[in-house]
Amino acid sequence: MSGEKAHKDLLPHLFRQEYAKMTAVLCRHFGLHAIEIAEDIANDTFLKASEYWAINGIPENPVAWLYTVAKNKTKDYVKRTAIFETQIKQEIKPEHIDKEKEFEYNDQLIADSQLAMIFAVCNPANSRESQICLALQILCGFSIEEIADAFLKNTETIKKRLLRARTKLRNTSFQIKSISEGQIKSRLEVVLKTLYLLFNEGYFSKANKQQIRINLCSEAIRLTLFLTENPITNTSETSALMALMCFQSSRLQARMDINGETILFDGQDRTLWDQSLIQRGNYYLVNATTQSAKSPTKYHLEAGIAYWYTTSTDHSKWINILQLFDQLIIIEDSPITALNRVFAFANVHGKEKAILEAEKLNLIKNTSYQALMGYLYAHTDIDRSLAHYEQAIRLSRSSTEKHTLKKEIERLKFAKINAGK
């Protein structure tokens, strides 16, 4: 692999993995007033890496190289501009000024800063959805399109929401280092939702060329693990979310073939499922059910569903899955929940009855609905199945998803030819 090709493959991965951490530490240093400054320094660092590595090759320790450059750029910024002294410092009350003499990066500071940054961005000065949008952009590096997909909104709506949220966040006097236990508890629900959406984007991306993005799933698990290790944030809901992520991640390798193409659930090789992650999921699910006597949350129910997916192929498991979906849809009556429930319904009551259930949803402009209908009709009416799959392709914006659907169409056409012989 050439040096240029190698650095072009590595940089996007490092950007997703390190950009948010870098920004968090910079914001801890400067304060949230200067969030744009922090982002500019982080962006300049990766720009320099792109230029320097293309000529000189990838350094022996690329992550350490990035943080060294970011550290130097921070020092240069403070030296050459009076903004920090004349604007930001004056706006911060004396007792809130960062007393650190030297700006440094280390593993503990990065971990502490990123966790604190999550709660700082989830500021009630903004609406709940705006907090999540901002966290996904700043902390997770989501594009406008990815956020729009997560909320089923158009990109212009998300742009306006982010602009307003950034303005309010910039005007707050909140400092990353001074977060109280009460603030942490009040913001935990939004933080968990953000991590849930981060994991979902990795598990099934519709706004990226790759439908499965393991690095996002790993990042979501890493951040959620932080929360389970802190006595303030180690709640029943946190454990349930961690269990869900473990169960879902256990099947990631089986969801892709050697070419990186998606393998649907029925075609997955169960020997590739990660049993250690399933065991960790069991551990966190037990914790989630014993930590609280309250009614199960969305995360408890989804973790329960994910647990049953990892069990034997015995037909009875689908009865349990359907019962959990019946409870979940009361809490969150979303299109994806309704469609996943129909899939479980088909495994319990048959595909013909499931078709009637699906038609009640009236989601004809939804890609997943059309793909599900294609699946349900595949064994009884190939022509109708093909029509639904073709409509799903027309509605989809994901090239990977389209490719998976086209493979199903080819399989059905081949079966139709053989049946006519």
Side-chain angles (χ1 to χ4, degrees), residues 262-279:
T262 305
I263 300 174
L264 300 178
F265 180 77
D266 289 345
Q268 290 175 16
D269 181 355
R270 293 175 60 87
T271 63
L272 296 177
W273 292 3
D274 190 327
Q275 295 301 316
S276 64
L277 278 173
I278 293 174
Q279 290 171 7

Side-chain angles (χ1 to χ4, degrees), residues 115-139:
L115 188 60
M117 182 69 166
I118 296 175
F119 286 91
V121 170
C122 294
N123 191 314
N126 286 308
S127 69
R128 187 172 181 273
E129 285 197 350
S130 293
Q131 291 173 50
I132 296 172
C133 287
L134 200 57
L136 288 173
Q137 184 186 58
I138 294 174
L139 297 171

Side-chain angles (χ1 to χ4, degrees), residues 207-226:
N208 192 275
K209 291 180 181 179
Q210 291 180 299
Q211 198 169 64
I212 299 170
R213 303 163 72 181
I214 294 178
N215 61 323
L216 294 193
C217 293
S218 299
E219 184 68 3
I221 289 176
R222 186 181 70 83
L223 294 173
T224 307
L225 186 60
F226 281 162

Side-chain angles (χ1 to χ4, degrees), residues 90-146:
Q90 290 178 12
E91 293 176 8
I92 306 173
K93 294 180 181 179
E95 63 268 23
H96 289 159
I97 295 175
D98 194 336
K99 296 290 196 302
E100 291 178 345
K101 294 181 180 179
E102 184 69 18
F103 180 78
E104 291 289 347
Y105 283 104
N106 58 64
D107 290 343
Q108 188 59 51
L109 180 62
I110 290 171
D112 291 346
S113 297
Q114 196 172 17
L115 188 60
M117 182 69 166
I118 296 175
F119 286 91
V121 170
C122 294
N123 191 314
N126 286 308
S127 69
R128 187 172 181 273
E129 285 197 350
S130 293
Q131 291 173 50
I132 296 172
C133 287
L134 200 57
L136 288 173
Q137 184 186 58
I138 294 174
L139 297 171
C140 309
F142 272 37
S143 67
I144 300 292
E145 291 75 16
E146 288 170 337

